[in-house]
Amino acid sequence: MALPRRHFLAASMAATAAATAATAGAAVPPLLRAPRLRPGDTVALINPSGAIYERAPYQFATEALQALGFKVREAPNLRARYGHFAGTDAQRAADVNAMFADPSVQGILAMTGGSGGNRILPLIDYAAIRRRPKFLGGFSDLTALINAVQVQTGLVTFHCPMGASEWNDFSVQWLRSAVMEAQAVTLANPKDREDNLAVRGGRITTLRGGTARGPLVGGNLAVLSSMAGSAYWPRFDGAILFLEDVNEYIYRVDRMLSTLKLSGALDRVAGVVLGGFTNCGPGDGNYGTLTLDEVFDDYFKPLNVPVYSGALFGHIKRKFTLPVGLPVEMDADAGTVRFLQPAVL
């Protein structure tokens, strides 16, 4: 049963204060990797963010996971709704906590993104997650949860397709390699020109060449920038930052990158990998706007670290699976990210 609103808000504020205090000056938790997923394991579907207004995506997600060989469990509040959220904050957090606590569940996958993930972060039982590490995956608004869990527990989490995503062969291959086969893979866009004279889709653009090593952090730019200054924001020192977004005007992308710059985050990273910035244009009536390329040049070229764009992740059809928190090596000239060790055990 959900807490009365005044008690819930008080509990949330207290949890946030406690998490901030615990993070300030605290040692970085050691890297924690979950057991790999195997055929026959149970994967729980959760919905920490926005509500889904149709029944079909639930069935599609179940069938896709079953095709991978998993048993599927619906979290108790998976189909709940509170406004545009998939249930109250307490309900959504309760599902995360319950699925981590349940010993019969080996993996946890988000159904979809949307918004609202930030609201549940103070209500997550991070100590329980440390005691029972499991696969946790999603992208878009799940940027909040997968980074918060990584920061608070050390667990490698996954920026990967969600239940309602398109489970095409490309996306399945990379998820299976990273999460089920425990391979230390190298993420590289295919050089497939299809029926064009030159490669058109999935092109890599090198903004500044070179290689760099560090833990992989990031996700959706809008969500990541909204976490600024909290106890759940990633540690950017020496990190490889990856970013994507969707349906944002260019001036908003510029403003969100300015948040990362003004906070000092961009000046601490070892390298940057940019994925899909889908439908991010100037908008109607925005005469004289900078292009997205110019915005990226302004923010990333002065960093003097390797940077490339065009990596296959984000709100696009074909998606890599990226392990948040895992040490990787990026090569901005080749357009690759190499795992320095398997992301699961």
Side-chain angles (χ1 to χ4, degrees):
M1 184 174 67
L3 290 168
R5 181 167 178 78
R6 64 180 181 280
H7 297 313
F8 163 70
L9 289 174
S12 177
M13 291 172 64
T16 301
T20 303
T23 303
V28 177
L31 190 71
L32 184 62
R33 292 179 292 165
R36 72 186 70 184
L37 292 179
R38 305 174 187 272
D41 282 349
T42 296
V43 173
L45 287 169
I46 60 172
N47 203 353
S49 300
I52 293 178
Y53 294 88
E54 299 173 290
R55 296 174 185 171
Y58 297 104
Q59 186 62 33
F60 170 77
T62 296
E63 291 175 5
L65 291 174
Q66 288 172 340
L68 284 168
F70 302 129
K71 300 172 185 175
V72 182
R73 170 88 54 82
E74 287 197 8
N77 299 298
L78 181 70
R79 302 185 187 224
R81 188 182 73 82
Y82 174 68
H84 67 283
F85 301 127
T88 65
D89 297 352
Q91 285 176 315
R92 290 179 288 125
D95 276 0
V96 177
N97 293 335
M99 295 303 98
F100 268 106
D102 189 336
S104 68
V105 171
Q106 286 76 44
I108 302 168
L109 183 69
M111 264 297 299
T112 190
S115 67
N118 287 14
R119 293 170 60 123
I120 71 170
L121 300 184
L123 306 179
I124 301 302
D125 188 344
Y126 298 101
I129 294 174
R130 279 194 296 270
R131 292 193 296 269
R132 200 185 295 274
K134 301 178 182 183
F135 164 82
L136 172 66
F139 78 105
S140 192
D141 194 58
L142 271 295
T143 294
L145 184 62
I146 60 177
N147 279 281
V149 167
Q150 207 291 312
V151 167
Q152 292 290 321
T153 71
L155 177 65
V156 174
T157 57
F158 294 89
H159 186 279
C160 67
M162 294 184 283
S165 295
E166 179 175 333
W167 289 89
N168 53 68
D169 287 343
F170 181 94
S171 301
V172 169
Q173 169 201 334
W174 290 106
L175 183 131
R176 182 181 279 124
S177 297
V179 174
M180 300 179 69
E181 298 171 357
Q183 295 183 22
V185 300
T186 298
L187 306 177
N189 289 14
K191 293 180 172 60
D192 181 5
R193 63 182 181 85
E194 299 174 331
D195 61 349
N196 291 303
L197 292 176
V199 175
R200 182 176 179 87
R203 292 184 65 90
I204 292 297
T205 299
T206 302
L207 280 74
R208 182 176 288 277
T211 63
R213 290 188 173 193
L216 196 60
V217 302
N220 181 266
L221 174 60
V223 178
L224 191 71
S225 63
S226 75
M227 299 168 69
S230 74
Y232 312 104
W233 217 26
R235 299 174 178 90
F236 294 94
D237 298 271
I240 305 300
L241 174 65
F242 69 97
L243 297 171
E244 62 86 21
D245 220 319
V246 63
N247 296 335
E248 295 287 358
Y249 292 142
I250 292 172
Y251 80 87
R252 293 177 182 169
V253 173
D254 180 89
R255 185 165 56 198
M256 292 182 287
L257 287 174
S258 75
T259 297
L260 299 189
K261 180 65 177 179
L262 293 172
S263 71
L266 290 186
D267 295 321
R268 303 202 301 273
V269 301
V272 180
V273 180
L274 301 172
F277 278 74
T278 306
N279 195 29
C280 292
D284 294 339
N286 281 322
Y287 173 76
T289 183
L290 294 172
T291 67
L292 199 58
D293 288 333
E294 289 170 332
V295 170
F296 290 160
D297 287 348
D298 284 350
Y299 282 96
F300 297 121
K301 281 189 173 180
L303 299 181
N304 293 317
V305 300
V307 184
Y308 75 91
S309 65
L312 292 177
F313 62 86
H315 292 74
I316 55 178
K317 180 176 180 178
R318 299 186 295 175
K319 298 177 180 63
F320 290 136
T321 289
L322 292 92
V324 178
L326 190 77
V328 300
E329 179 180 74
M330 66 166 291
D331 184 330
D333 298 293
T336 60
V337 173
R338 179 171 66 91
F339 298 8
L340 295 180
Q341 63 187 85
V344 292
L345 299 174

